[in-house]
Amino acid sequence: MDIKLITSFKNKLVSIKNAITQQITKLRKPVDMGDDIDSFEEEADEATEMAAQAGMVETLKRRVHRVDDALTKMDQGKYGVCEKCGKEIEVALLNVDPESRYCRGCKVSSR
Ligand SMILES: [Zn+2]
């Protein structure tokens, strides 16, 4: 793959990673419990909200992991190669999903 393309994908991945990391930091901020006496319903709402946030953090963490993998592959010169069939991943696909591990064909067939 063209070094210029790789550099642009690298910049993209780094900014995605920064954005996700910021989101995680925000989500991790403790929910304001306040010192007012909450009704039982409100407490239940907070618990639901916290669970939803924990789920989101997990999803985001998985994405950071995939972005990190893609960055590692760049360092190893393996970026943009499908992990399944070994072919080059289409640039159009990487434009949409720069941390993709599979080419379009393998992505479709793995569904
Ligand atoms: Zn493939």
Side-chain angles (χ1 to χ4, degrees):
M1 200 187 278
D2 185 10
I3 188 77
K4 270 188 199 159
L5 263 179
I6 293 191
T7 310
S8 82
F9 283 128
K10 186 170 191 168
N11 291 338
K12 223 177 193 178
L13 285 166
V14 170
S15 63
I16 289 174
K17 192 182 163 179
N18 289 339
I20 301 173
T21 311
Q22 272 179 18
Q23 253 180 294
I24 292 176
T25 315
K26 252 192 229 166
L27 285 169
R28 276 216 180 120
K29 273 196 186 138
V31 178
D32 180 24
M33 291 295 188
D35 45 17
D36 56 323
I37 301 157
D38 284 340
S39 71
F40 181 76
E41 251 172 62
E42 263 177 54
E43 271 182 26
D45 279 352
E46 271 169 13
T48 313
E49 200 181 313
M50 280 169 78
Q53 282 184 358
M56 271 195 273
V57 168
E58 275 314 301
T59 309
L60 291 170
K61 269 161 77 181
R62 271 200 292 273
R63 180 131 196 241
V64 169
H65 195 74
R66 287 206 317 169
V67 172
D68 272 338
D69 276 354
L71 288 168
T72 308
K73 279 202 266 181
M74 264 176 197
D75 289 339
Q76 297 169 337
K78 291 177 193 160
Y79 179 70
V81 177
C82 175
E83 283 183 13
K84 221 170 187 178
C85 68
K87 283 185 199 155
E88 272 197 17
I89 302 172
E90 297 84 348
V91 172
L93 177 62
L94 291 172
N95 271 325
V96 183
D97 186 12
E99 76 264 34
S100 179
R101 294 157 64 197
Y102 304 118
C103 70
R104 195 181 297 255
C106 293
K107 259 197 166 174
V108 171
S109 69
S110 69
R111 250 177 226 154

